[in-house]
Amino acid sequence: MQALVNDVEIRGAFKKYGSNIILNGINLEVKQGELLTLLGPSGCGKTTTLNLIAGFLEVEQGEVLIKGKRVNDVPAYKRDLGMVFQTYSLFPHMTVYENLSFGLSIRKIAKEEKNRRIGQALELVRMTGLEGRYPRELSGGQRQRVAIARALVVQPKLLLLDEPLSNLDAKLRHELRAEIKRMQKEVGVTTIFVTHDQEEALSMSDRIVVMNQGQIEQIGTPTEIYANPQSEFVFNFIGKSNQLSGRIQTVSSHMITVVLEDGEQLFVDPDNIMGADKSCAAGDPIKLYIRPEKVTIDPGSSTEPYFNHHTARITQMNYFGSTWEIEVSLLGEFMHAIHPVIKPHWKIGSEVTLGWKPSDVMAALK
Amino acid sequence: MEAVRRNGSPEVNRSMEPHITSQKKYRRYNKYIPALLLLLPLLLLIIGFFIVPMLYILYLSFIQTDGLDTSNASYSLMNYTRFFTDSYYLSSLWLTIKISLYCVIVSLLLAYPVALTMSKCTPRVRGYIALLVASPLLISIVVRNFGWFLLLLPNGMIHRTIGSLGIDSSSLRLLFSETGVVIGLSNSFLPFMILAIATSLYNIDPSLEKASAILGASPLRSFFSITLPLSLPGVVSGSVLVFSLSMSSYVTPALMGGANVPVLPVVAYDQMINLMQWTYGSAMSYVLLGVTLFLVTVFTRSMERSRFKEVFR
């Protein structure tokens, strides 16, 4: 039986600039054909990780493997990868055709095969007919399409995308997001995508690696990351969140009871405690996190036995076209609820009841 | 109907309210007055001490006379025909061009590595190197040339060093030769070349080099297909600068070349000051100016229309 080899493996990568630790022991495996996103705030080490794979940086400890081969000492130009940069990085003195043929000429591809591949790559990014243009004569979106074609035309082992959409305007960004996803699946190339935009990560990735301060916080599919975050950082970084703090009153195998400052009782599913250590006892402080779209205003009577209720006062109502965001004040904290429609008696200053299921609450122990 | 009214409206305005238009015009010129006043001192200086003398020399170059007496002068192209029919003067022109080209090549070869190093450094180190590069400009060109003069003398340090290695250097003529002039001029103009190239290297997006590497280009290939073509604007402007300065230089060829290297500026000086042939000297100056401008224009234009034309936009 043949052992399954990961396309990329990073083992215990450690990197620092001066006394600044950028990567603190990263372990990562990228499966064949998947689109893996490195997501995190700036300075979290995601770009450094990408540069390690590309070969622009060297690890101080640990190793990087591409297709099962250790590449620590292989320079970037011998790694046979494709990369797309934030600033497009097309060669300004070369036409679209020349930009695409650059990598092929280095690989000594025959003229006919070269032309065929360039035609194919341009077709893939929907840029056929613009071979003779110079980058200056293209729009931002077109430049990034050419950059993607240039990276793919050499049939690289991996495609690396370094925040390729962040220089484009919102509309183009949405368009190219879907395009990149389509092209990646069409070509089937293993892709590593770096971004700080959680929406991009959620909509495009097969798996997401959430990074923070040189460490990996969580690896999982977009739904796992969003619905089942394993740390407070991940919960707060991905999507919007509401926060409440309280103290544990009772613990049982199927339900935790929490008291808030005002004496109100809330119920939390014990499985929803984030992190590996889920042990807790009565009297422990606890933080509760709820997504705005899980909070219902005026929930009415629920069949759920442990349904949570709390009264609050509306402080602001924001209209977003398809939804309303309602801000309420609860124990001095602001909470947000997302509703598609509002009821006539919801006004700024009016008192309403909030409700949510115990399974929708994520909890963090201190 | 809409179009007619739109077309007609400026006409109507002009005829009905002429005073407003003229007032606007007056106001439009008004705003240039402070700028004009600020420029005036320099403008007068340039007109009085540069443009007028240049025009006077141009006028002189078309006069046919004996010596300084212009009372019974007649206009002709004699001075120019004399220049272009005498092989001595033509070879002097060719020598000037040749030496200037050598200077461009020598300073290019010496400057590019320095500029490349500067572009790879942190801004702090880059500042120090730039200061170091520009520091020779703080010393008078005569002093610098005299320094070279002493080094290149037949019993100077360089000859003695070569001799101490057991090599016979008596056939090597460093001073009073083209070599000496090229050494002196290249040294003087090197800072201009370095700074011109460095400036265009700074403007290259560093991610282009990464893009080139990830596509499989070795550092050497990246240099020749990306960095070098993109730095051509700096190479061209540096070359034009060094070439023009070399074409018109007088002090260095006079000191380091002497009578053995009769470049055109030296010959023209001779005509004007020693032989009192003002009109012929004037014509020579204009030939030098014309040839320099012509060559520089042809060079720049051909570079701008070359394969790398996109770089010059």
Side-chain angles (χ1 to χ4, degrees), chain A residues 98-126:
Chain A
E98 287 165 343
N99 265 284
L100 262 66
S101 73
F102 185 78
L104 295 175
S105 301
I106 291 167
R107 285 165 180 75
K108 299 194 171 66
I109 307 281
K111 178 108 184 169
E112 268 171 43
E113 167 72 1
K114 192 157 85 177
N115 287 340
R116 190 187 64 78
R117 278 218 227 161
I118 290 173
Q120 220 172 28
L122 286 177
E123 201 176 311
L124 182 77
V125 298
R126 309 205 165 134

Side-chain angles (χ1 to χ4, degrees), chain A residues 77 81 87 89 92-93 107 136, chain B residues 207 213-215 217 225 310 313:
Chain A
Y77 68 96
L81 309 175
T87 52
S89 305
H93 58 302
R107 285 165 180 75
R136 182 179 52 83
Chain B
S207 76
I214 209 85
L215 284 165
S225 10
E310 196 62 19
R313 283 183 185 271

Side-chain angles (χ1 to χ4, degrees), chain A residues 51 54 56 76-77 81-83 85 87 89-94 99 102-103 105-107 134 136 150 154, chain B residues 205 207-219 221-222 225-226 229-230 307-311 313:
Chain A
N51 282 329
F56 296 135
Y77 68 96
L81 309 175
M83 187 159 176
F85 301 83
T87 52
S89 305
L90 295 177
F91 306 130
H93 58 302
M94 297 185 190
N99 265 284
F102 185 78
S105 301
I106 291 167
R107 285 165 180 75
Y134 283 99
R136 182 179 52 83
R150 184 180 66 177
V154 297
Chain B
D205 179 358
S207 76
L208 291 180
E209 214 170 293
K210 283 186 171 184
S212 160
I214 209 85
L215 284 165
S218 64
R221 185 156 187 159
S222 283
S225 10
I226 310 298
L230 291 179
R307 196 158 96 65
F308 302 111
K309 58 180 188 294
E310 196 62 19
V311 181
R313 283 183 185 271

Side-chain angles (χ1 to χ4, degrees), chain B residues 78-304:
Chain B
M78 245 289 285
N79 293 317
Y80 290 97
T81 46
R82 183 178 161 201
F83 184 91
F84 286 108
T85 48
D86 191 324
S87 66
Y88 174 76
Y89 298 110
L90 281 177
S91 68
S92 162
L93 174 63
W94 170 237
L95 180 69
T96 317
I97 295 171
K98 196 172 70 175
I99 283 180
S100 304
L101 286 177
Y102 284 149
C103 288
V104 169
I105 292 164
V106 169
S107 51
L108 245 181
L109 291 177
L110 292 174
Y112 209 104
V114 181
L116 200 61
T117 313
M118 283 173 79
S119 72
K120 304 273 180 208
C121 288
T122 58
R124 206 183 137 88
V125 178
R126 190 184 286 175
Y128 289 133
I129 300 180
L131 200 69
L132 218 62
V133 163
S135 61
L137 299 176
L138 300 174
I139 304 161
S140 152
I141 192 162
V142 180
V143 176
R144 266 182 290 157
N145 281 333
F146 194 69
W148 275 115
F149 187 88
L150 296 176
L151 287 172
L152 299 176
L153 273 174
N155 59 350
M157 204 181 91
I158 292 176
H159 274 282
R160 266 182 289 158
T161 310
I162 296 172
S164 70
L165 294 170
I167 302 161
D168 179 29
S169 65
S170 58
S171 63
L172 187 67
R173 276 198 75 98
L174 292 175
L175 205 57
F176 305 124
S177 72
E178 289 174 28
T179 317
V181 177
V182 172
I183 290 174
L185 286 178
S186 311
N187 172 246
S188 305
F189 303 141
L190 197 58
F192 301 116
M193 188 66 105
I194 293 174
L195 297 177
I197 297 173
T199 310
S200 75
L201 284 173
Y202 299 157
N203 288 333
I204 300 176
D205 179 358
S207 76
L208 291 180
E209 214 170 293
K210 283 186 171 184
S212 160
I214 209 85
L215 284 165
S218 64
L220 203 66
R221 185 156 187 159
S222 283
F223 174 77
F224 283 110
S225 10
I226 310 298
T227 312
L228 186 60
L230 291 179
S231 69
L232 279 181
V235 170
V236 168
S237 62
S239 302
V240 165
L241 210 59
V242 170
F243 183 76
S244 320
L245 289 170
S246 305
M247 285 292 280
S248 59
S249 64
Y250 168 76
V251 175
T252 308
L255 192 70
M256 322 254 307
N260 290 343
V261 191
V263 293
L264 209 47
V266 172
V267 174
Y269 176 89
D270 215 35
Q271 288 289 333
M272 290 266 216
I273 306 299
N274 297 335
L275 302 173
M276 292 292 175
Q277 297 275 334
W278 283 29
T279 57
Y280 191 40
S282 301
M284 238 178 246
S285 313
Y286 265 92
V287 168
L288 183 67
L289 181 65
V291 168
T292 309
L293 277 178
F294 174 76
L295 290 177
V296 162
T297 312
V298 167
F299 174 63
T300 336
R301 281 287 149 79
S302 64
M303 288 309 284
E304 282 166 4

